[in-house]
Amino acid sequence: MTSATQSVASIDPFVLLQQEPAGSTVPQQKLFGLDRTALIQLFAELGEKPYRGRQLADALYKQRVAHLDEITTLPFALREKLSAAGWQIGRPTIAESFKSIDGTERYLIQTAAQSVETVWMPEGDDGAEFSDEEGNPAASGWKRATICVSSQIGCAVNCQFCLTAKLGLQRSLTPGEIAGQVVAVLARHGVELNKQRVNLVFMGMGEPFLNYDNFMAAVRLLIEEVGIAAPRMTVSTSGIVPGILRFAEEPVRPKLAISLNAPNDEVREAIMPINRKWDIAAVLDAVRKIPFKPRERVTFEYVMLGGVTDQPEHAEQVIRLVRRANLPAMVNLIAWNPGPGIAYSSPTADSVAAFQKQLLAAGIQTYIRRPRGRDIYAACGQLKRTTEAT
Ligand code: SF4
């Protein structure tokens, strides 16, 4: 156990009062999001033995219970005691879902007062292994799946091609709200983690490294309590250098993706204003501080905008940039997904294929990401709490 995700003592009473249901006189507090250490501490404060904390952690994160009265390992009297003290499970719940013709599902997940978006992609979108496979995700079975997780509601980074940016930053999510998206989706699909392969990509709404502590606390919960291994997770950052430097110090961490999206600083500044604060060289310097494991690679995500970043000269510049970076790296090409109110155009399939060919010829491992759930606004850069399916 590396840290208590949210210590019992640190819970803000103002937040608790905000969560109080109408008519109740007892402030409601959420168990989901507390790790084993915090749960044991909670039971100690209630005069109970430590093993009760372990039972509760298993119920929350392994058995995925949604209500206190479903926890059969705890005696009725103890559940009553928790409830009387104002404790509830408090896991985020799926409020709405939209299903794509390709099997992708997009969820609006209800957190306190606002909803956040999470995407389920059967047959995966971990960015590397499906570039030339069609898959059949609408079929009844799936062998592996990827969950795209949000770290904030909205985003402050303001990438010009991204629909989420239009929301601005509403707020950062708590560790329980980040990990809770995953557990809610695992519960919905009855996933057996020992038999089915699930990857997580922290590439939903928000910039994870601008919510660093909560993001990493959620990662620890997902590793230690839910049981998803760190190498099955990838976090994408727009290039928040202080976050990358902290990430480099983590003893256990997901894989890293850098949302590069441009062949040079000039173009990157135009489409990602964050580049004015940390340019490409500064980001790469920070990434070089990461002690990569054998065979581990950093991924450069490259959103292709028609006429803006998809031309042969851009591919040449990306080749030089990747070579100069001198990192174990691969490139993911993502054809830009259209969104309302954004004046870019998608690249042609031919220009994406030609771009990949150029990079491959230069010896750079390059994949094309198959767009997922475009028809339900679930694809990259399309998350904006859109309630219409199309
Ligand atoms: S692409 Fe990511 S970092 Fe950029 S505005 Fe959208 S959500 Fe934020």
Side-chain angles (χ1 to χ4, degrees):
M1 198 65 49
T2 49
S3 76
T5 300
Q6 184 184 10
S7 83
V8 178
S10 72
I11 295 168
D12 180 347
F14 176 68
V15 172
L16 300 183
L17 286 167
Q18 284 185 310
Q19 295 161 1
E20 188 176 342
S24 168
T25 52
V26 183
Q28 295 294 295
Q29 311 178 62
K30 291 176 181 178
L31 294 165
F32 196 97
L34 300 181
D35 70 7
R36 200 160 287 241
T37 306
L39 293 171
I40 289 169
Q41 186 191 337
L42 165 65
F43 275 117
E45 287 165 14
L46 293 173
E48 299 289 337
K49 295 258 177 1
Y51 76 93
R52 293 296 187 197
R54 292 192 283 274
Q55 286 176 324
L56 183 50
D58 286 345
L60 291 175
Y61 303 113
K62 299 264 182 343
Q63 291 138 29
R64 305 166 193 154
V65 299
H67 302 285
L68 269 181
D69 52 18
E70 292 169 21
I71 309 179
T72 50
T73 48
L74 297 184
F76 177 76
L78 187 46
R79 284 181 264 147
E80 288 288 288
K81 198 170 172 181
L82 280 172
S83 179
W87 290 97
Q88 54 168 311
I89 300 285
R91 187 182 82 201
T93 52
I94 295 175
E96 277 190 80
S97 67
F98 306 91
K99 188 159 185 172
S100 163
I101 47 170
D102 68 13
T104 299
E105 289 183 29
R106 176 169 70 94
Y107 309 112
L108 298 188
I109 295 196
Q110 192 62 45
T111 65
Q114 280 171 308
S115 62
V116 67
E117 303 211 355
T118 309
V119 181
W120 162 261
M121 292 169 280
E123 299 306 329
D125 184 351
D126 42 10
E129 296 170 49
F130 52 85
S131 58
D132 52 6
E133 77 177 54
E134 281 306 310
N136 187 12
S140 54
W142 54 273
K143 291 194 200 77
R144 62 193 176 88
T146 297
I147 303 173
C148 180
V149 185
S150 294
S151 55
Q152 298 179 308
I153 299 179
C155 187
V157 176
N158 201 22
C159 302
Q160 298 297 295
F161 51 82
C162 171
L163 210 48
T164 304
K166 302 260 179 209
L167 288 173
L169 176 64
Q170 309 282 310
R171 72 177 175 88
S172 286
L173 297 174
T174 65
E177 288 169 338
I178 298 171
Q181 296 168 60
V182 177
V183 176
V185 174
L186 294 177
R188 178 184 178 91
H189 292 277
V191 175
E192 296 179 68
L193 286 171
N194 54 346
K195 293 189 193 145
Q196 293 160 309
R197 179 175 148 182
V198 170
N199 295 312
L200 304 182
V201 292
F202 297 94
M203 300 183 183
M205 298 171 93
E207 166 52 78
F209 284 2
L210 290 180
N211 185 22
Y212 189 89
D213 290 327
N214 287 355
F215 159 69
M216 276 309 296
V219 163
R220 286 189 287 271
L221 266 181
L222 290 163
I223 295 170
E224 293 163 10
E225 306 295 355
V226 177
I228 300 175
R232 293 239 177 279
M233 305 179 188
T234 303
V235 60
S236 176
T237 178
S238 57
I240 308 297
V241 164
I244 299 170
L245 294 175
R246 287 184 71 186
F247 194 68
E249 303 284 318
E250 297 287 350
V252 181
R253 55 165 178 79
K255 294 185 285 188
L256 183 68
I258 299 293
S259 201
L260 178 67
N261 305 330
N264 58 52
D265 280 316
E266 193 187 344
V267 175
R268 197 165 191 265
E269 253 184 57
I271 61 175
M272 297 179 71
I274 193 80
N275 200 73
R276 279 180 221 132
K277 193 159 176 73
W278 295 292
D279 65 11
I280 296 172
V283 172
L284 295 178
D285 277 349
V287 175
R288 275 189 286 271
K289 300 275 191 311
I290 295 177
F292 288 97
K293 297 180 183 64
R295 304 220 309 272
E296 183 184 0
R297 289 184 176 82
V298 61
T299 303
F300 292 117
E301 305 281 346
Y302 191 90
V303 171
M304 297 182 69
L305 304 171
V308 179
T309 60
D310 68 338
Q311 298 299 299
E313 64 266 28
H314 299 139
E316 248 342 288
Q317 290 173 35
V318 170
I319 290 167
R320 285 202 294 274
L321 191 157
V322 173
R323 284 184 176 151
R324 270 201 316 271
N326 195 25
L327 284 160
M330 62 183 191
V331 175
N332 267 347
L333 302 177
I334 305 156
W336 179 72
N337 294 304
I342 303 184
Y344 288 115
S345 58
S346 298
T348 62
D350 283 352
S351 69
V352 177
F355 205 99
Q356 182 193 32
K357 207 169 155 198
Q358 237 175 303
L359 266 62
L360 287 174
I364 297 170
Q365 198 179 350
T366 307
Y367 299 90
I368 299 171
R369 274 228 216 152
R370 188 158 54 97
R372 300 296 306 265
R374 267 188 184 179
D375 53 332
I376 54 164
Y377 288 116
C380 278
Q382 286 189 310
L383 300 183
K384 195 198 162 193
R385 290 214 309 271
T386 317
T387 50
E388 301 82 28
T390 53

